[in-house]
Amino acid sequence: MEAIVAASRPHESEALRLSTLEQYDILDAPPTEAFNRITRLATRLFDVPIAMVNFIDQEHQWCLSSQGIALERTAREVSFCDRAIEQEDVMVVPDAREDERFADNPLVTGEPHIRFYAGAPLTAPNGYRLGTLCVIDDAPRTLSEEDQSTLTDLAGVVMDELTLRHYASGLDASRRAHQEASEQQRRILESITDAFVAIDEDWTFTYVNAQAETLLERSREELLGRTVWDEFPEAVGSTFQEKYEAAIEDDTTVEFLEYYPPLDRWLEVKAFPFEGGLSVYFDDVTDRVEARENLRRERALVDAVMDTSVAAIAVVDSDGQVAFANERAGEILGLEVDDLTGMTYLDTGTLADLDGNELSPEEWPFQEVLERGASISGRRYVFERHDGTVRYLSVNAAPLQSGQDDVRQVVFSIDDITEQVQHERELKAAKEEAERANRLKASFLTNVTHDLRTPLSSIIGSAELLAKEAPDECQPSIDRIERSSRRLLNTIDSVLDLSKLETGMVEPALESIDLADEVLGTAEIFQPQAAEQDITLEADVSEEPMPAELDSTMVHRILDNLLSNALKFTEAGGSVWLRAHATTDTATIEVEDTGVGIDEDFLPDLFESFAREDVAGGHEGNGVGLAITKRLTELMGGRIEVKSEKGEGTTFTVRLPREGGAEERAEATER
């Protein structure tokens, strides 16, 4: 009812508000240290540069505590807080430049260039708003409902501090004080957020408020008239007794934080001596202490991670100044950490792209992250230190945002990849040299084979003519000439084919084929040779079609090479099996024989060019057939495997993709 009447009479209401402010005696004897703790806490909680406790008298705004700004008095007409005390809840100004109430305010257009403001009223028990607890930033931002609630709670702590000090000295320490205290004092003591007890000179409880009952888990009836040390024997000899006795003996206020085991709580205590006793205010701050300890541990963990990180970590503020850097950052950038911290990022050295083009300030990664508000990863740069040393860096960066879209800081993770880049360049140069050598080799082989083909063709043609006209006794010699010439021509063709494969001159021409039909056709072609050698050749292939996207010529060459090898190294009476089967993605060809097998020591070299194992029986061969087979398989995105046991036989397995295989073919081409 009083508030309604006051609202209807603004002049009278303002007079009563000023009278309330005068009663608290704030401007003459403010609890400065208590206020300073709250403003320091506010700057950390809300991550703002400025926090203030202000009170509004008739003409001025008075700053009783501030962090981040030195301001004692401001004219009331330009005060943000004067507007804030007009409403009951928190007043939030996201961007003062965009707010018509403050756009032309000298505190906005000039120092301290206020952009963001949030103020919670400091409301006395009688309902009058005496000032504000406010937080300020020079960049636009918002304040969540949860943060507004936290700011309101802190403002309540400010008023609790004032109320406690206002009424502490007026409490009678005698047992009669409970009955004689004014009704107004009782209401105040029962409404404050702190637990409160009054103790006389004999350490007897004379007053206990409701908050104290809850916190001590004892009713006031159990405590009034009883001594502290009898009711709480665990406090005897503790910090509580030491501080209380010091307050009375020295006639001075004491404040301390202490853990009380019986309650398993941390208590923040303020004790005010008065004639004949002690007024004690205490609050359960366990959550705050635990949160602070958790924060301390987290910070210690972060510091340990930062200090031991193999990567350089640096944090740059939105104005371009380095706010943090670990030791590794100093090592990579060639600067002492103390020198690096506080330096603008542009002063750390010179940055260029990998082609050596120096970057302008707008092209540095910091500027990109700041403007886009998005992370970057794996960017490579050339960095020149102040001493002229050049290093190659890999940079990752991410924005730290406040409010909606404002980037307050950019966090960098930097790796020195100088050795890696040099190694990559050496590999590239070696690869280019190898490719050049392969091209020269291919050109050489092409020329040599051309030069050899012509005389070989003449020799073979002459041998064929001699075979028709020469007498019978010359035929064995002519046959040897022709056989040797054809064998040499076959070797030349194989070497040329292998050279083309190794230099990437051959690409698969993929087409849709029926692999089952191709395998059966190859088996039919080799059946006469198998029968002539008295070898059983069996084909185990599904009667159903086996469609696949492959190069038919390469498939034929693979089948021919593997089957001819199997027949070559299988003795009369042995067997050779040709199998083909498929899954959804893969087609598999197997060639198994009961031949002489391959020595285990030779298996690692089996697919190398011109590699031949010494095998009894003098089997002919040039050592390139299996190398060609492996290369053709890989070009189609497949792989080849071999299992063999000396004297027992050998199995070659070729696995080919039924579709695609582009990635595998690319890898094979690179190899």
Side-chain angles (χ1 to χ4, degrees), residues 350-359 381-382 384 390 392 425:
T350 303
L351 203 65
D353 60 26
L354 293 183
D355 293 327
N357 302 311
E358 185 174 339
L359 302 184
Y381 301 98
V382 180
E384 184 176 346
V390 174
Y392 291 89
R425 290 182 172 179

Side-chain angles (χ1 to χ4, degrees), residues 31-51:
T32 305
E33 183 53 33
F35 288 168
N36 288 343
R37 284 196 295 271
I38 292 171
T39 53
R40 283 196 299 268
L41 179 62
T43 58
R44 292 197 298 268
L45 281 174
F46 301 101
D47 191 23
V48 293
I50 299 174

Side-chain angles (χ1 to χ4, degrees), residues 51-231:
M52 306 170 69
V53 172
N54 295 320
F55 292 89
I56 306 296
D57 71 2
Q58 190 169 2
E59 297 180 354
H60 297 97
Q61 168 190 293
W62 295 90
C63 177
L64 278 301
S65 174
S66 66
Q67 300 294 322
I69 189 173
L71 187 66
E72 180 180 351
R73 185 178 67 178
T74 302
R76 183 169 177 175
E77 59 265 21
V78 300
S79 167
F80 280 58
C81 294
D82 187 45
R83 293 294 188 100
I85 64 173
E86 294 176 0
Q87 59 188 60
E88 294 183 359
D89 51 4
V90 177
M91 183 180 85
V92 179
V93 181
D95 189 345
R97 288 185 182 176
E98 305 297 325
D99 193 313
E100 61 182 11
R101 296 173 298 175
F102 305 106
D104 298 326
N105 191 298
L107 299 177
V108 175
T109 58
E111 293 291 339
H113 299 289
I114 297 175
R115 297 291 296 278
F116 164 79
Y117 171 94
L122 302 174
T123 307
N126 61 8
Y128 289 105
R129 295 183 281 278
L130 310 181
T132 67
L133 168 64
C134 66
V135 292
I136 295 171
D137 203 341
D138 57 3
R141 58 184 294 178
T142 59
L143 201 67
S144 68
E145 291 184 6
E146 181 179 358
D147 285 342
Q148 291 183 41
S149 177
T150 301
L151 188 62
T152 300
D153 288 343
L154 284 178
V157 173
V158 173
M159 281 309 305
D160 285 347
E161 178 71 23
L162 293 175
T163 302
L164 294 177
R165 290 175 179 269
H166 181 57
Y167 288 105
S169 60
L171 185 66
D172 193 328
S174 69
R175 289 183 176 83
R176 295 189 301 275
H178 179 62
Q179 292 79 22
E180 295 173 359
S182 69
E183 185 62 29
Q184 183 183 21
Q185 287 177 324
R186 286 197 190 94
R187 287 200 304 269
I188 291 173
L189 291 173
E190 293 300 325
S191 65
I192 62 176
T193 58
D194 280 9
F196 169 79
V197 298
I199 303 168
D200 67 13
E201 58 189 2
D202 297 323
W203 302 104
T204 302
F205 287 106
T206 61
Y207 190 90
V208 178
N209 75 351
Q211 290 285 358
E213 287 185 292
T214 301
L215 187 51
L216 297 176
E217 300 176 357
R218 305 279 288 277
S219 69
R220 67 184 73 190
E221 288 76 14
E222 293 179 82
L223 297 175
L224 291 173
R226 301 178 184 274
T227 63
V228 174
W229 315 125
D230 289 341
E231 295 303 311

Side-chain angles (χ1 to χ4, degrees), residues 576-626:
V576 174
W577 293 271
L578 177 59
R579 306 185 185 94
H581 55 88
T583 63
T584 304
D585 301 321
T586 305
T588 301
I589 301 169
E590 292 180 354
V591 177
E592 180 182 359
D593 63 58
T594 59
V596 298
I598 303 169
D599 191 280
E600 184 177 357
D601 294 337
F602 184 70
L603 285 175
D605 302 321
L606 183 63
F607 295 104
E608 295 297 325
S609 304
F610 306 106
R612 292 187 60 196
E613 182 185 14
D614 292 331
V615 180
H619 298 283
E620 295 181 353
N622 50 37
V624 297
L626 288 178

